[in-house]
Amino acid sequence: MNTRLHHLAEAHNARFGTSGVRGLVSDLSDAVCYAYAQAFLRSIATDSARVVVGHDLRPSSPRIAAACIQAIRDAGREAVFVGALPTPALAYYCALQRAPGIVVTGSHIPFDRNGIKFYRADGEIDKADEQAILDAEVPVPDALSPAPLPAVDAAALEAYVARYTDFFGIGALAGMRVALYEHSSVARDVLRTVFERLGAEVLSLGRTDTFVPIDTEAVRAEDIAQARAWAQAHRFDAIVSTDGDADRPLIGDETGTWLRGDVVGILCAQYLHADVVVTPVSSNTAVEKCGAFRQVLRTRIGSPYVIAGMDAQRGAGRVVGYEANGGFLLGSDVEYGEAIGASAAETASVGAGSVGTGGFGSAEVATDGPEATQKCLPAGAARLKALPTRDSLLPMLALLAMARAKGCPVSQLADALPRRFTASDRIQNVPTEFSRALIARLQQTPAEAAALMAPDAGDVIAIDTTDGLRTSFATGEIVHLRPSGNAPELRCYAEAADEPRARALCDACLARIAASA
């Protein structure tokens, strides 16, 4: 039986969100997942004989992967099963093999939901590709019984490890101690491998076989408290983690304080000496105010929009992108010698010895001569190839390398940035229709928007509708409301001149909306 995918997707509430297909596990039946894979093969991956397939550690992911692999086989193609691995690792392997790919993941959303992301050989599919997939006519067998998953091909994980160990160099983080909050991240083992090969000592914390929906834009109160408790109980230079599929980082300093993802993005872009930065409208305005980049381009929220923005800047120098969730995208190759955590003069002024509460003090920093410059540079391969999809590992390594080069603890890396702070959270289980109606009403009535979003922030001086409703007030403060593209949630982003005020703006706005709902 053939059907247009759009009709099947609507009937089962399995739709494209901000990035990839999302839906309840109960709606992502074998038939629906099979149909999506078939539609991808028929509309986008039309010429490839091989398709790479991987998944995260959600309980439902292997079953969905098996349905996708069955679709690939029934289409007369070869499925290369790379097992449980980070989404950026699959994307990188697809680029190396010049093959399309499918990764089964729901990213950070609760475990009763899941999703599917599709990759062309040259990167993530875009919004036009999504529409082509939905328009495809696909066969759906009356009786579908996917075969068991095949043996895992380990080459994709090995290539991902080599990407960073070759570039940064074996021993680049020698003497540093990194705490790894493992939880149920699909990257928990590969992160340990990379950090240890770069010379760091790794402390494993919080490993669990129960899926934990880590949202790097709205960190749970228990994770905030736990990180600080671990910092008091253990000595480390940084604590790192990821969301479920490891395309979004969670990076904390030596005190166990989690860094905001949009600050991480600015610091990583500075480390790479980016010329052009592409980031969604929700990110911290310190990216413009710091004056470090020739151009900053703002987009709608979602990696497809960031990627489209980077594509438009191709040839404009070193082009990077990041999202407020911390996921970092490399839009152009980085040559050896371009990624510098600090200038030679800055490094030469730093003395050796202990500079933080972690293990950094055991790693000597060169204080003069050519070796000082070399300490700032990756010591491995000549080039870090572009990877235009969200990645969590590059920003982790960049911030640690920057701290090492500057001779300062991770907590001091952002000290030179303009004093702009962001906070974000969301109301869960809010119908998307309610969120859209609310935002439409507030767009038409600025006085109501001010009263609901920030009644003590002065007059509304600007409204940005690039994605949701982003309102700037006379105090210089910003409050931004937007329905999630992945789940029935209403998200709020706030920005102010100090962290408590940003948090208060966000919390109070959401509380007023919840009370009025």
Side-chain angles (χ1 to χ4, degrees):
M1 178 185 70
N2 278 21
T3 185
R4 190 179 177 195
L5 180 62
H6 171 76
H7 300 308
L8 188 65
E10 288 296 316
H12 288 266
N13 295 311
R15 306 180 180 92
F16 280 107
T18 302
S19 179
V21 177
R22 294 288 186 268
L24 290 166
V25 170
S26 56
D27 289 328
L28 291 172
S29 65
D30 288 348
V32 168
C33 299
Y34 180 98
Y36 261 107
Q38 281 276 2
F40 173 61
L41 297 174
R42 291 183 169 216
S43 61
I44 307 301
T46 56
D47 299 325
S48 178
R50 306 170 77 232
V51 183
V52 182
V53 180
H55 61 78
D56 66 12
L57 294 179
R58 291 167 182 267
S60 58
S61 292
R63 189 260 305 167
I64 295 173
C68 292
I69 288 174
Q70 190 64 53
I72 293 167
R73 288 170 169 167
D74 288 352
R77 319 281 188 92
E78 177 189 356
V80 180
F81 181 54
V82 293
L85 83 175
T87 292
L90 180 138
Y92 181 57
Y93 192 63
C94 287
L96 292 178
Q97 296 296 308
R98 301 185 182 275
I102 298 173
V103 60
V104 178
T105 178
S107 187
H108 63 280
I109 59 179
F111 80 97
D112 64 334
R113 298 173 180 271
N114 211 328
I116 308 172
K117 290 188 72 172
F118 301 98
Y119 285 86
R120 303 185 306 254
D122 60 346
E124 287 186 41
I125 64 170
D126 58 25
K127 292 300 178 181
D129 293 332
E130 289 179 3
Q131 190 58 54
I133 290 171
L134 291 172
D135 290 340
E137 290 279 343
V138 293
V140 180
D142 293 330
L144 183 62
S145 182
L149 289 170
V152 173
D153 183 338
L157 268 180
E158 292 169 358
Y160 188 60
V161 170
R163 168 180 171 82
Y164 291 116
T165 55
D166 288 351
F167 184 72
F168 283 90
I170 300 299
L173 302 180
M176 301 191 82
R177 181 173 166 89
V178 180
L180 175 56
Y181 174 26
E182 296 185 345
H183 64 91
S184 54
S185 166
V186 74
R188 58 194 185 184
D189 294 327
V190 71
L191 288 180
R192 166 178 282 278
T193 297
V194 171
F195 282 118
E196 288 184 341
R197 290 191 186 178
L198 293 179
E201 179 186 355
V202 179
L203 173 67
S204 294
L205 300 167
R207 190 181 184 101
T208 177
D209 290 330
T210 301
F211 187 79
V212 179
I214 295 291
D215 186 341
T216 61
E217 280 188 275
V219 183
R220 303 180 308 167
E222 55 264 46
D223 290 322
I224 293 173
Q226 182 65 81
R228 289 175 177 162
W230 279 331
Q232 293 179 350
H234 307 283
R235 179 181 59 86
F236 50 69
D237 294 288
I239 180 170
V240 299
S241 189
T242 77
D243 65 340
D245 70 324
D247 66 347
R248 307 178 184 194
L250 193 57
I251 304 172
D253 62 24
E254 72 281 357
T255 72
T257 300
W258 298 116
L259 306 183
R260 294 286 305 175
D262 45 11
V263 172
V264 168
I266 297 171
L267 294 173
C268 188
Q270 287 182 331
Y271 177 79
L272 295 172
H273 280 194
D275 297 305
V276 179
V277 174
V278 182
T279 192
V281 65
S282 58
S283 294
N284 193 314
T285 60
V287 65
E288 288 97 354
K289 296 178 185 297
C290 73
F293 313 109
R294 188 176 69 232
Q295 182 180 2
V296 176
L297 176 66
R298 296 286 187 157
T299 72
R300 291 183 63 185
I301 295 172
S303 57
Y305 301 109
V306 176
I307 293 166
M310 292 194 303
D311 285 345
Q313 297 298 315
R314 189 172 297 171
R318 291 183 293 279
V319 180
V320 305
Y322 67 83
E323 296 184 279
N325 55 45
F328 199 86
L329 305 91
L330 192 57
S332 53
D333 295 357
V334 175
E335 299 288 343
Y336 179 84
E338 290 178 347
I340 305 174
S343 69
E346 287 175 317
T347 306
S349 68
V350 177
S354 180
V355 295
T357 59
F360 184 91
S362 62
E364 292 186 356
V365 178
T367 57
D368 54 27
E371 189 180 359
T373 303
Q374 186 62 30
K375 284 288 187 180
C376 303
L377 301 175
R383 176 180 293 182
L384 187 66
K385 296 289 290 182
L387 183 58
T389 194
R390 280 192 305 249
D391 188 19
S392 63
L393 187 48
L394 177 56
M396 291 178 187
L397 299 177
L399 265 62
L400 287 168
M402 180 183 278
R404 184 182 178 90
K406 288 180 175 289
C408 72
V410 172
S411 61
Q412 293 181 10
L413 289 178
D415 285 356
L417 295 179
R419 303 291 292 177
R420 299 296 294 175
F421 295 86
T422 53
S424 60
D425 208 338
R426 80 279 200 207
I427 304 175
Q428 296 177 293
N429 301 314
V430 176
T432 301
E433 294 75 16
F434 168 85
S435 298
R436 289 176 177 166
L438 172 65
I439 288 172
R441 189 174 79 244
L442 296 180
Q443 286 179 6
Q444 299 300 317
T445 54
E448 183 183 358
L452 187 65
M453 298 172 78
D456 57 347
D459 294 335
V460 174
I461 61 171
I463 289 179
D464 187 330
T465 57
T466 300
D467 198 341
L469 179 65
R470 187 172 178 84
T471 305
S472 298
F473 295 91
T475 58
E477 295 164 340
I478 299 170
V479 179
H480 180 181
L481 294 175
R482 172 185 172 272
S484 170
N486 292 326
E489 301 173 348
L490 177 62
R491 289 188 174 269
C492 179
Y493 311 84
E495 182 175 323
D498 64 72
E499 191 169 8
R501 175 61 176 168
R503 173 50 55 194
L505 283 168
C506 179
D507 291 347
C509 178
L510 289 177
R512 284 189 290 271
I513 292 172
S516 67

